PDB file of all heavy atoms in Angstrom:
ATOM      1  N   ILE A1265      17.422  17.455  14.297  1.00 98.00           N
ATOM      2  CA  ILE A1265      18.250  16.639  15.239  1.00 98.00           C
ATOM      3  C   ILE A1265      18.806  17.525  16.317  1.00 98.00           C
ATOM      4  O   ILE A1265      18.738  17.213  17.442  1.00 98.00           O
ATOM      5  CB  ILE A1265      19.357  15.976  14.409  1.00 98.00           C
ATOM      6  CG1 ILE A1265      18.836  14.936  13.541  1.00 98.00           C
ATOM      7  CG2 ILE A1265      20.400  15.329  15.438  1.00 98.00           C
ATOM      8  CD1 ILE A1265      19.845  14.294  12.515  1.00 98.00           C
ATOM      9  N   ALA A1266      19.253  18.707  15.951  1.00 98.00           N
ATOM     10  CA  ALA A1266      19.801  19.637  16.943  1.00 98.00           C
ATOM     11  C   ALA A1266      18.776  19.997  17.965  1.00 98.00           C
ATOM     12  O   ALA A1266      19.110  20.345  19.159  1.00 98.00           O
ATOM     13  CB  ALA A1266      20.459  20.844  16.248  1.00 98.00           C
ATOM     14  N   ASP A1267      17.508  20.117  17.536  1.00 98.00           N
ATOM     15  CA  ASP A1267      16.484  20.480  18.380  1.00 98.00           C
ATOM     16  C   ASP A1267      15.718  19.337  19.035  1.00 98.00           C
ATOM     17  O   ASP A1267      14.644  19.549  19.661  1.00 98.00           O
ATOM     18  CB  ASP A1267      15.403  21.345  17.576  1.00 98.00           C
ATOM     19  CG  ASP A1267      16.004  22.769  17.282  1.00 98.00           C
ATOM     20  OD1 ASP A1267      17.053  23.163  17.848  1.00 98.00           O
ATOM     21  OD2 ASP A1267      15.401  23.394  16.389  1.00 98.00           O
ATOM     22  N   GLY A1268      16.307  18.117  18.962  1.00 98.00           N
ATOM     23  CA  GLY A1268      15.874  17.004  19.742  1.00 98.00           C
ATOM     24  C   GLY A1268      15.031  15.914  19.090  1.00 98.00           C
ATOM     25  O   GLY A1268      14.639  14.987  19.719  1.00 98.00           O
ATOM     26  N   ALA A1269      14.834  16.076  17.811  1.00 98.00           N
ATOM     27  CA  ALA A1269      14.065  15.035  17.068  1.00 98.00           C
ATOM     28  C   ALA A1269      15.037  13.842  16.829  1.00 98.00           C
ATOM     29  O   ALA A1269      16.187  14.055  16.317  1.00 98.00           O
ATOM     30  CB  ALA A1269      13.595  15.512  15.701  1.00 98.00           C
ATOM     31  N   PRO A1270      14.490  12.646  17.152  1.00 98.00           N
ATOM     32  CA  PRO A1270      15.385  11.439  17.011  1.00 98.00           C
ATOM     33  C   PRO A1270      15.389  10.835  15.611  1.00 98.00           C
ATOM     34  O   PRO A1270      15.017   9.771  15.285  1.00 98.00           O
ATOM     35  CB  PRO A1270      14.606  10.397  17.987  1.00 98.00           C
ATOM     36  CG  PRO A1270      13.273  10.788  17.861  1.00 98.00           C
ATOM     37  CD  PRO A1270      13.151  12.295  17.769  1.00 98.00           C
ATOM     38  N   VAL A1271      15.927  11.689  14.690  1.00 98.00           N
ATOM     39  CA  VAL A1271      16.068  11.277  13.273  1.00 98.00           C
ATOM     40  C   VAL A1271      17.379  10.470  13.052  1.00 98.00           C
ATOM     41  O   VAL A1271      18.454  11.009  13.413  1.00 98.00           O
ATOM     42  CB  VAL A1271      16.036  12.475  12.360  1.00 98.00           C
ATOM     43  CG1 VAL A1271      15.919  12.001  10.900  1.00 98.00           C
ATOM     44  CG2 VAL A1271      14.853  13.393  12.671  1.00 98.00           C
ATOM     45  N   LYS A1272      17.212   9.295  12.493  1.00 98.00           N
ATOM     46  CA  LYS A1272      18.348   8.357  12.415  1.00 98.00           C
ATOM     47  C   LYS A1272      18.835   8.089  11.075  1.00 98.00           C
ATOM     48  O   LYS A1272      19.821   7.397  10.863  1.00 98.00           O
ATOM     49  CB  LYS A1272      17.942   7.061  13.138  1.00 98.00           C
ATOM     50  CG  LYS A1272      17.484   7.156  14.552  1.00 98.00           C
ATOM     51  CD  LYS A1272      18.557   7.694  15.454  1.00 98.00           C
ATOM     52  CE  LYS A1272      18.134   7.778  16.955  1.00 98.00           C
ATOM     53  NZ  LYS A1272      19.080   8.385  17.760  1.00 98.00           N
ATOM     54  N   GLY A1273      18.145   8.627  10.058  1.00 98.00           N
ATOM     55  CA  GLY A1273      18.567   8.352   8.672  1.00 98.00           C
ATOM     56  C   GLY A1273      17.839   9.302   7.645  1.00 98.00           C
ATOM     57  O   GLY A1273      16.754   9.837   7.987  1.00 98.00           O
ATOM     58  N   TYR A1274      18.458   9.355   6.460  1.00 99.00           N
ATOM     59  CA  TYR A1274      17.863  10.106   5.317  1.00 99.00           C
ATOM     60  C   TYR A1274      18.100   9.389   4.063  1.00 99.00           C
ATOM     61  O   TYR A1274      19.212   8.956   3.725  1.00 99.00           O
ATOM     62  CB  TYR A1274      18.548  11.520   5.316  1.00 99.00           C
ATOM     63  CG  TYR A1274      18.112  12.303   4.116  1.00 99.00           C
ATOM     64  CD1 TYR A1274      17.036  13.288   4.258  1.00 99.00           C
ATOM     65  CD2 TYR A1274      18.776  12.308   2.899  1.00 99.00           C
ATOM     66  CE1 TYR A1274      16.668  14.058   3.153  1.00 99.00           C
ATOM     67  CE2 TYR A1274      18.339  13.074   1.798  1.00 99.00           C
ATOM     68  CZ  TYR A1274      17.307  13.887   1.921  1.00 99.00           C
ATOM     69  OH  TYR A1274      16.937  14.681   0.886  1.00 99.00           O
ATOM     70  N   PHE A1275      17.013   9.172   3.305  1.00 99.00           N
ATOM     71  CA  PHE A1275      17.103   8.480   2.005  1.00 99.00           C
ATOM     72  C   PHE A1275      16.683   9.400   0.837  1.00 99.00           C
ATOM     73  O   PHE A1275      15.641   9.980   0.824  1.00 99.00           O
ATOM     74  CB  PHE A1275      16.158   7.303   2.024  1.00 99.00           C
ATOM     75  CG  PHE A1275      16.478   6.271   2.998  1.00 99.00           C
ATOM     76  CD1 PHE A1275      16.342   6.483   4.402  1.00 99.00           C
ATOM     77  CD2 PHE A1275      16.876   4.983   2.600  1.00 99.00           C
ATOM     78  CE1 PHE A1275      16.690   5.509   5.328  1.00 99.00           C
ATOM     79  CE2 PHE A1275      17.181   3.937   3.523  1.00 99.00           C
ATOM     80  CZ  PHE A1275      17.085   4.246   4.842  1.00 99.00           C
ATOM     81  N   ALA A1276      17.509   9.446  -0.144  1.00 98.00           N
ATOM     82  CA  ALA A1276      17.243  10.254  -1.369  1.00 98.00           C
ATOM     83  C   ALA A1276      16.254   9.404  -2.167  1.00 98.00           C
ATOM     84  O   ALA A1276      16.404   8.278  -2.442  1.00 98.00           O
ATOM     85  CB  ALA A1276      18.468  10.531  -2.184  1.00 98.00           C
ATOM     86  N   TRP A1277      15.189  10.188  -2.700  1.00 98.00           N
ATOM     87  CA  TRP A1277      14.353   9.572  -3.738  1.00 98.00           C
ATOM     88  C   TRP A1277      14.585  10.325  -5.008  1.00 98.00           C
ATOM     89  O   TRP A1277      14.500  11.606  -5.052  1.00 98.00           O
ATOM     90  CB  TRP A1277      12.889   9.799  -3.311  1.00 98.00           C
ATOM     91  CG  TRP A1277      11.956   9.114  -4.343  1.00 98.00           C
ATOM     92  CD1 TRP A1277      11.389   9.774  -5.415  1.00 98.00           C
ATOM     93  CD2 TRP A1277      11.604   7.752  -4.470  1.00 98.00           C
ATOM     94  NE1 TRP A1277      10.719   8.839  -6.214  1.00 98.00           N
ATOM     95  CE2 TRP A1277      10.836   7.581  -5.555  1.00 98.00           C
ATOM     96  CE3 TRP A1277      11.835   6.624  -3.654  1.00 98.00           C
ATOM     97  CZ2 TRP A1277      10.274   6.389  -5.999  1.00 98.00           C
ATOM     98  CZ3 TRP A1277      11.278   5.386  -4.015  1.00 98.00           C
ATOM     99  CH2 TRP A1277      10.582   5.313  -5.172  1.00 98.00           C
ATOM    100  N   SER A1278      15.005   9.588  -6.016  1.00 98.00           N
ATOM    101  CA  SER A1278      15.102   8.229  -6.090  1.00 98.00           C
ATOM    102  C   SER A1278      16.517   7.914  -6.633  1.00 98.00           C
ATOM    103  O   SER A1278      17.143   8.771  -7.267  1.00 98.00           O
ATOM    104  CB  SER A1278      14.025   7.593  -6.948  1.00 98.00           C
ATOM    105  OG  SER A1278      14.243   6.252  -7.197  1.00 98.00           O
ATOM    106  N   LEU A1279      16.947   6.667  -6.538  1.00 98.00           N
ATOM    107  CA  LEU A1279      18.225   6.320  -7.140  1.00 98.00           C
ATOM    108  C   LEU A1279      18.195   6.580  -8.611  1.00 98.00           C
ATOM    109  O   LEU A1279      19.112   7.164  -9.201  1.00 98.00           O
ATOM    110  CB  LEU A1279      18.516   4.879  -6.884  1.00 98.00           C
ATOM    111  CG  LEU A1279      19.786   4.274  -7.559  1.00 98.00           C
ATOM    112  CD1 LEU A1279      21.046   4.936  -7.040  1.00 98.00           C
ATOM    113  CD2 LEU A1279      19.867   2.808  -7.429  1.00 98.00           C
ATOM    114  N   LEU A1280      17.106   6.122  -9.227  1.00 98.00           N
ATOM    115  CA  LEU A1280      16.980   6.142 -10.717  1.00 98.00           C
ATOM    116  C   LEU A1280      15.790   6.972 -11.164  1.00 98.00           C
ATOM    117  O   LEU A1280      14.799   6.941 -10.516  1.00 98.00           O
ATOM    118  CB  LEU A1280      16.821   4.699 -11.322  1.00 98.00           C
ATOM    119  CG  LEU A1280      17.815   3.692 -11.016  1.00 98.00           C
ATOM    120  CD1 LEU A1280      17.363   2.272 -11.509  1.00 98.00           C
ATOM    121  CD2 LEU A1280      19.179   3.991 -11.617  1.00 98.00           C
ATOM    122  N   ASP A1281      15.945   7.687 -12.321  1.00 97.00           N
ATOM    123  CA  ASP A1281      14.697   8.070 -12.995  1.00 97.00           C
ATOM    124  C   ASP A1281      13.913   6.889 -13.283  1.00 97.00           C
ATOM    125  O   ASP A1281      14.391   5.771 -13.571  1.00 97.00           O
ATOM    126  CB  ASP A1281      15.085   8.671 -14.390  1.00 97.00           C
ATOM    127  CG  ASP A1281      15.816   9.999 -14.230  1.00 97.00           C
ATOM    128  OD1 ASP A1281      15.651  10.684 -13.210  1.00 97.00           O
ATOM    129  OD2 ASP A1281      16.535  10.366 -15.212  1.00 97.00           O
ATOM    130  N   ASN A1282      12.540   6.952 -13.109  1.00 97.00           N
ATOM    131  CA  ASN A1282      11.720   5.759 -13.235  1.00 97.00           C
ATOM    132  C   ASN A1282      10.281   6.013 -13.590  1.00 97.00           C
ATOM    133  O   ASN A1282       9.941   7.215 -13.972  1.00 97.00           O
ATOM    134  CB  ASN A1282      11.810   4.957 -11.968  1.00 97.00           C
ATOM    135  CG  ASN A1282      11.427   5.826 -10.766  1.00 97.00           C
ATOM    136  OD1 ASN A1282      10.426   6.645 -10.790  1.00 97.00           O
ATOM    137  ND2 ASN A1282      12.107   5.713  -9.577  1.00 97.00           N
ATOM    138  N   TYR A1283       9.491   5.012 -13.508  1.00 98.00           N
ATOM    139  CA  TYR A1283       8.093   5.173 -13.869  1.00 98.00           C
ATOM    140  C   TYR A1283       7.388   5.869 -12.693  1.00 98.00           C
ATOM    141  O   TYR A1283       7.283   5.306 -11.534  1.00 98.00           O
ATOM    142  CB  TYR A1283       7.405   3.795 -14.037  1.00 98.00           C
ATOM    143  CG  TYR A1283       5.959   3.717 -14.330  1.00 98.00           C
ATOM    144  CD1 TYR A1283       5.447   4.166 -15.604  1.00 98.00           C
ATOM    145  CD2 TYR A1283       5.081   3.317 -13.449  1.00 98.00           C
ATOM    146  CE1 TYR A1283       4.193   4.193 -15.885  1.00 98.00           C
ATOM    147  CE2 TYR A1283       3.690   3.347 -13.722  1.00 98.00           C
ATOM    148  CZ  TYR A1283       3.243   3.685 -14.879  1.00 98.00           C
ATOM    149  OH  TYR A1283       1.949   3.743 -15.249  1.00 98.00           O
ATOM    150  N   GLU A1284       6.995   7.101 -12.933  1.00 97.00           N
ATOM    151  CA  GLU A1284       6.423   7.936 -11.794  1.00 97.00           C
ATOM    152  C   GLU A1284       4.886   7.817 -11.852  1.00 97.00           C
ATOM    153  O   GLU A1284       4.180   8.823 -11.975  1.00 97.00           O
ATOM    154  CB  GLU A1284       6.915   9.358 -12.030  1.00 97.00           C
ATOM    155  CG  GLU A1284       6.557  10.246 -10.843  1.00 97.00           C
ATOM    156  CD  GLU A1284       6.888   9.636  -9.528  1.00 97.00           C
ATOM    157  OE1 GLU A1284       8.002   9.035  -9.337  1.00 97.00           O
ATOM    158  OE2 GLU A1284       6.110   9.825  -8.556  1.00 97.00           O
ATOM    159  N   TRP A1285       4.303   6.580 -11.736  1.00 98.00           N
ATOM    160  CA  TRP A1285       2.948   6.331 -11.617  1.00 98.00           C
ATOM    161  C   TRP A1285       2.046   7.027 -12.594  1.00 98.00           C
ATOM    162  O   TRP A1285       2.372   6.879 -13.867  1.00 98.00           O
ATOM    163  CB  TRP A1285       2.560   6.629 -10.151  1.00 98.00           C
ATOM    164  CG  TRP A1285       3.464   5.872  -9.188  1.00 98.00           C
ATOM    165  CD1 TRP A1285       4.379   6.490  -8.372  1.00 98.00           C
ATOM    166  CD2 TRP A1285       3.565   4.494  -8.933  1.00 98.00           C
ATOM    167  NE1 TRP A1285       5.043   5.517  -7.586  1.00 98.00           N
ATOM    168  CE2 TRP A1285       4.566   4.332  -7.963  1.00 98.00           C
ATOM    169  CE3 TRP A1285       2.871   3.378  -9.467  1.00 98.00           C
ATOM    170  CZ2 TRP A1285       4.877   2.999  -7.496  1.00 98.00           C
ATOM    171  CZ3 TRP A1285       3.156   2.079  -8.998  1.00 98.00           C
ATOM    172  CH2 TRP A1285       4.171   1.948  -8.063  1.00 98.00           C
ATOM    173  N   ALA A1286       1.134   7.857 -12.266  1.00 97.00           N
ATOM    174  CA  ALA A1286       0.284   8.510 -13.181  1.00 97.00           C
ATOM    175  C   ALA A1286       0.894   9.475 -14.125  1.00 97.00           C
ATOM    176  O   ALA A1286       0.365   9.914 -15.135  1.00 97.00           O
ATOM    177  CB  ALA A1286      -0.952   9.156 -12.522  1.00 97.00           C
ATOM    178  N   PHE A1287       2.164   9.894 -13.731  1.00 96.00           N
ATOM    179  CA  PHE A1287       2.894  10.812 -14.608  1.00 96.00           C
ATOM    180  C   PHE A1287       3.811  10.031 -15.588  1.00 96.00           C
ATOM    181  O   PHE A1287       4.509  10.683 -16.318  1.00 96.00           O
ATOM    182  CB  PHE A1287       3.719  11.683 -13.698  1.00 96.00           C
ATOM    183  CG  PHE A1287       2.971  12.614 -12.824  1.00 96.00           C
ATOM    184  CD1 PHE A1287       2.730  12.331 -11.565  1.00 96.00           C
ATOM    185  CD2 PHE A1287       2.490  13.832 -13.332  1.00 96.00           C
ATOM    186  CE1 PHE A1287       1.850  13.139 -10.736  1.00 96.00           C
ATOM    187  CE2 PHE A1287       1.723  14.692 -12.575  1.00 96.00           C
ATOM    188  CZ  PHE A1287       1.443  14.398 -11.319  1.00 96.00           C
TER     189      PHE A1287
END
Side-chain angles (χ1 to χ4, degrees):
I1265 294 171
D1267 289 346
V1271 188
K1272 304 299 183 182
Y1274 175 92
F1275 294 68
W1277 182 269
S1278 172
L1279 175 67
L1280 304 171
D1281 291 335
N1282 55 42
Y1283 180 72
E1284 189 48 42
W1285 307 109
F1287 295 96

